Amino acid sequence: MVNKEFFAALDALETEKHIPKNVLIDSLEAGIVSAYKKETGEVRPITVRIDEDRCTIKIYAYRHVVEEVADEDKEISLEDAREIKPSYKVGDVVIEDITPKDFSRIAAQTAKQVIMQRINDAKRDVVFSEMSEKENEILQAIVRRKEGATVYVEISGSQMEGMLSAADQVPGEVYNINDVIKVLIKKVRNTSHGAQVIVSRSAAGFVKRLFEMEVPEIRAGLVTIKNIVREAGYRTKIAVYSEDVNVDAIGACIGNKGVRVNAIVNELAGEKIDVIPWCPDPLEFVARALSPAQVQMVQINEEEKTAKVIVPDEKLSLAIGKQGQNARLAAKLTGWKIDVKPYSSVAPAAVSEEEDA
């Protein structure tokens, strides 16, 4: 069996599909073994030897030389073996070339099916490995189709399909066919249908990676993102810190005249971003987390992990935010349950305490 075009095709598959040739060769061998046994009913163990240099494929049946035969399909007596070749001894393997002149259509089809399955499995493993290394990274993707609320994208440079579910989309964003968008590789999982890539634009990690890409100080480790919380499409709060007193963590993230944070806001279609200086003191950190509102006083209960925050009456709605969003995000950012109160609700008590004193 000599087919130079076939071996050229293997080279092309290795280049285009990034599947190692040895994997393709293994697939070919398994396909030929399966096809040959199905076509001929051969029960002896058989092996396939492929010579890439000569572009040849040979099929051999083999049996082990034994004193007494227990399984005729796998063994041959020493006497019978020496009729084939006098030098055979117990323990040797008698090999017989059974390469057919040509495979029938059925055998060729069987081989093709097995080979394609092996190639698909290998491709899935290669893609799964490559994409797994890209988890939590941002890549470009092209919107290819929609099924209900789910958007399917092609990950640029990989020909891999990513699934953008409704939960991973940003409310208000519209995705049109052939749009080029940035997505976070959220998770890669191996399924019976191949590697499945879950992508997101709504995850807090998406904004975190945007900051890492936009701010050199974060990439260099001079500025650390302590925590980040997000309600996609509306607001993100990010707490940053630098151990180097000469590095302004907030200034680094915002950039000259806001150029860095504005680039991220533009990618997020105007989503508000509060860059907050992290602080180990919970009193101070809780107050900062309620930005852009000004805080007058913070009282904490360490056992219950709660914080009571007093703000000017006119800043109450700002501190709480629309539908409680600002206070809710501040609580997630700090890890403290926050109760925001206007100054007027505690002022009489404060006055009474002063008079008693």
Side-chain angles (χ1 to χ4, degrees), residues 254-274:
I254 293 176
N256 185 29
K257 297 182 180 180
V259 64
R260 292 176 178 173
V261 74
N262 286 339
I264 297 171
V265 169
N266 290 337
E267 174 62 35
L268 302 177
E271 183 175 316
K272 293 182 175 63
I273 297 179
D274 299 328

Side-chain angles (χ1 to χ4, degrees), residues 197-228:
V197 182
I198 309 300
V199 301
S200 178
R201 281 184 58 83
S202 66
F206 182 68
V207 182
K208 181 180 179 182
R209 288 295 293 144
L210 288 175
F211 269 97
E212 290 171 348
M213 293 165 64
E214 194 68 34
V215 182
E217 289 84 351
I218 293 178
R219 294 197 302 274
L222 297 174
V223 173
T224 302
I225 297 175
K226 286 291 190 177
N227 197 12
I228 182 168

Side-chain angles (χ1 to χ4, degrees), residues 282-291 293-301 306-313 315-316 318-320 326-327 330-331 334 336-346:
L283 291 170
E284 184 66 26
F285 189 33
V286 167
R288 294 175 180 179
L290 283 167
S291 173
Q294 296 177 344
V295 172
Q296 290 181 295
M297 183 175 66
V298 178
Q299 297 175 331
I300 63 172
N301 184 322
T306 59
K308 183 178 180 181
V309 180
I310 309 303
V311 299
D313 288 37
K315 300 294 183 181
L316 179 63
L318 183 63
I320 295 175
N326 194 58
T334 61
W336 290 77
K337 183 178 180 181
I338 298 175
D339 182 20
V340 182
K341 298 290 185 181
Y343 178 75
S344 60
S345 68
V346 298

Side-chain angles (χ1 to χ4, degrees), residues 68-109:
E68 294 185 8
V69 176
D71 186 342
E72 292 184 355
D73 294 330
K74 297 180 180 179
E75 299 169 340
I76 184 172
S77 68
L78 178 60
E79 182 181 354
D80 290 342
R82 284 180 171 173
E83 288 183 4
I84 300 172
K85 185 178 178 181
S87 61
Y88 276 130
K89 58 184 181 297
V90 173
D92 286 345
V93 177
V94 176
I95 299 175
E96 179 185 352
D97 187 344
I98 56 174
T99 307
K101 292 182 178 180
D102 194 12
F103 273 141
S104 70
R105 181 183 59 82
I106 295 176
Q109 184 64 29

Side-chain angles (χ1 to χ4, degrees), residues 133-147:
E133 294 177 357
K134 297 183 183 297
E135 278 191 7
N136 298 316
E137 289 192 18
I138 289 179
L139 299 177
Q140 281 197 332
I142 304 171
V143 177
R144 290 305 188 197
R145 59 191 176 91
K146 298 180 181 180
E147 290 183 8

Side-chain angles (χ1 to χ4, degrees), residues 140-145 151-156 159-164 175 179 181 183 197 199:
Q140 281 197 332
I142 304 171
V143 177
R144 290 305 188 197
R145 59 191 176 91
V151 175
Y152 292 90
V153 301
E154 178 185 321
I155 310 298
S156 298
Q159 296 183 338
M160 197 59 205
E161 185 176 74
M163 184 178 75
L164 184 66
Y175 309 103
D179 278 355
I181 61 175
V183 295
V197 182
V199 301

